[in-house]
Amino acid sequence: MDLGIVSVLVSVTSAAVAVGALVVNAVDGRARRRNTEFLGHRDPWWQRWS
C-alpha cells in the first residue's frame, strides 16, 4: 500500500475511536448523574418513612 493511504486510514480510525470514546463518556456521565439524583431522592424518602 501507499504510505499516504495508510496515513489516511490511521487518521480516520483514530478519529472514529475518539468519537466513540466521547459518546461512551457522555452516556456514562448521564447514567452516573441519573443514579446520583436517584440516590439523593431515595435517602430523604427513607428517613421520612422510618
Side-chain angles (χ1 to χ4, degrees), residues 2-27:
D2 188 37
L3 188 60
I5 293 174
V6 172
S7 296
V8 169
L9 288 176
V10 168
S11 297
V12 169
T13 303
S14 64
V17 168
V19 169
L22 182 68
V23 169
V24 167
N25 193 15
V27 169

